[in-house]
Amino acid sequence: MQNFDFLISTRLIFGKGTHKQIGELVKPYGKKVLLHYGSSSIKKSGLYDEVINALKQSGLEVFELGGVLPNPRVSLIREGIALCKKEKIDFILGVGGGSVIDSSKTIAGAAYYEGDVWELVEDRTKQVPGGIPLGVILTIPAAGSETGGGAVITNEEKQIKTSFGNAYTRAKFAIINPELFFTLPKNQIANGVADMMSHIFERYFTTTDNTELTDGLCETILRTIIHNGPVVYANPADYDAWCQLGFSANLAHNGLLGLGRAQDWACHGMEHELSAIYDIAHGAGLAILTPNWMKYVYKENMGMFLQFAVKVMGVDGSFRDPEAVILEGIARLRALFNSLGLPSTLSEVGIDESKFELMAKKATGAQYGRERAIGGIKKLSWQDVVEMMMFGATAV
């Protein structure tokens, strides 16, 4: 087990009706609030009115910026930064899922920078003089971004999807009320399940020895997701099942599960290129790539994948044939994704082979003259990534 230094400074407020506290939670930070959100869904559900009323009843002046899209665009982030500077915003409130939260974080962390926000993304040595405090109300449990310090944003002109974060991109508080998930469409539920599971996989599949505790945490949360994902997919108004999923998504990506262990992150690196160029849902891309990645790398650490097949996917087979057990575990994962309506192949989401090499070179940095292998279980060159994407063209 490796050394670690761990801090989560975000206050987590969980349960029924908790979003109604928003006015009193924001009030100590100032008078002017930027309400940042995505589509009209929060207006249709009535959440928008509840939030606006709570903020105004606490004597706060509310400014709005809607329109956040999946794979949040830097163009809208620039609008948010300009609005914060013009109106001297004291606090940012993101109401939505991971894309809204990541957009809010980036605005908060770049609002006091005098240059363009993308300069901070491209040159991580650049410093900012401060940031705007922010809080979030979660409406889609998936990304786990509500208590993390980083964000993932997209430059639509350059077709680059990448991370951003600094000392000011961690929320002061996050509200998780599972009641707010009841109106989610089935495709968002499915994409969320794939995303939260992938966040665990990236940490779980490790080359580090003696990680019994975090192995067990990962396995328990994965089993919880596997059980409750289909429950809410069938009945989106099941509060108790949403409690399990909402908390699982948070634990999957708040850093706890990766403590003391080497991590992988190859699947995320590859999927970011898919969604940067083709703008597909992140969870859908992960559902396609992850089983294929497993089949491509499992021989590098068969013990880890055997453990996954038995303890997570419940395979009961002969340990005299560990490879068969592993392959059955991967097949069961694919079947789970399929049962939630998630795609198995890149062709299902309109992606052909024409840009495989470009995406592979971008994922590994070869496109920019700074190639580095990605992944942990197996170091993947851009040629490996192309081969994996060829796997993804048809289900393996």
Side-chain angles (χ1 to χ4, degrees), residues 82-111:
L83 180 59
C84 287
K85 288 178 177 177
K86 177 185 176 183
E87 302 296 345
K88 296 181 171 56
I89 295 295
D90 298 312
F91 191 85
I92 298 170
L93 176 62
V95 180
S99 293
V100 168
I101 295 169
D102 284 0
S103 186
S104 301
K105 287 178 172 183
T106 308
I107 294 170

Side-chain angles (χ1 to χ4, degrees), residues 118-326:
W118 201 253
E119 295 173 6
L120 296 175
V121 174
E122 293 184 325
D123 184 355
R124 305 302 171 93
T125 65
K126 288 184 179 293
Q127 301 295 311
V128 296
I132 298 175
L134 74 146
V136 303
I137 298 175
L138 185 68
T139 63
I140 305 173
S145 186
E146 60 272 9
T147 54
V152 177
I153 59 175
T154 299
N155 187 317
E156 59 269 46
E157 294 179 359
K158 296 185 177 183
Q159 292 190 321
I160 295 174
K161 183 176 177 181
T162 190
S163 60
F164 173 75
N166 58 28
Y168 308 101
T169 54
R170 191 181 293 273
K172 299 297 182 182
F173 62 80
I175 293 173
I176 301 179
N177 175 4
E179 295 171 306
L180 303 181
F181 310 153
F182 289 178
T183 58
L184 286 176
K186 287 184 180 292
N187 68 309
Q188 288 190 346
I189 294 172
N191 288 331
V193 167
D195 195 6
M196 63 182 82
M197 289 183 73
S198 181
H199 287 153
I200 304 174
F201 291 150
E202 301 285 22
R203 296 170 167 94
Y204 178 68
F205 289 104
T206 185
T207 56
T208 307
D209 294 327
N210 301 312
T211 55
E212 180 181 355
L213 176 58
T214 44
D215 281 3
L217 292 173
C218 289
E219 290 157 2
T220 296
I221 297 170
L222 283 168
R223 289 194 300 267
T224 300
I225 296 168
I226 289 168
H227 173 73
N228 288 282
V231 172
V232 299
Y233 188 78
N235 178 16
D238 190 316
Y239 177 80
D240 292 327
W242 270 127
C243 283
Q244 302 305 309
L245 275 187
F247 195 23
S248 291
N250 181 266
L251 291 172
H253 204 39
N254 69 6
L256 174 66
L257 302 184
L259 295 179
R261 57 198 296 139
Q263 300 177 37
D264 199 281
W265 295 102
C267 287
H268 269 70
M270 291 183 287
E271 199 293 317
H272 284 172
E273 302 309 326
L274 297 181
S275 49
I277 293 177
Y278 293 97
D279 198 28
I280 67 170
H282 182 51
L286 290 169
I288 296 167
L289 290 175
T290 300
N292 290 292
W293 169 82
M294 289 180 172
K295 293 198 75 170
Y296 194 78
V297 307
Y298 74 86
K299 291 183 181 179
E300 303 294 321
N301 191 336
M302 290 186 65
M304 190 82 245
F305 282 89
L306 184 62
Q307 182 175 318
F308 161 74
V310 173
K311 293 192 174 182
V312 177
M313 301 311 301
V315 180
D316 182 15
S318 171
F319 284 86
R320 293 185 180 183
D321 190 359
E323 193 163 13
V325 175
I326 291 168

Side-chain angles (χ1 to χ4, degrees), residues 54-103:
L55 293 172
K56 290 185 175 179
Q57 286 173 9
S58 293
L60 301 167
E61 185 178 3
V62 182
F63 299 82
E64 296 183 36
L65 181 63
V68 180
L69 298 172
N71 305 311
R73 279 41 167 191
V74 73
S75 54
L76 188 66
I77 289 167
R78 290 180 176 125
E79 288 184 39
I81 291 170
L83 180 59
C84 287
K85 288 178 177 177
K86 177 185 176 183
E87 302 296 345
K88 296 181 171 56
I89 295 295
D90 298 312
F91 191 85
I92 298 170
L93 176 62
V95 180
S99 293
V100 168
I101 295 169
D102 284 0
S103 186

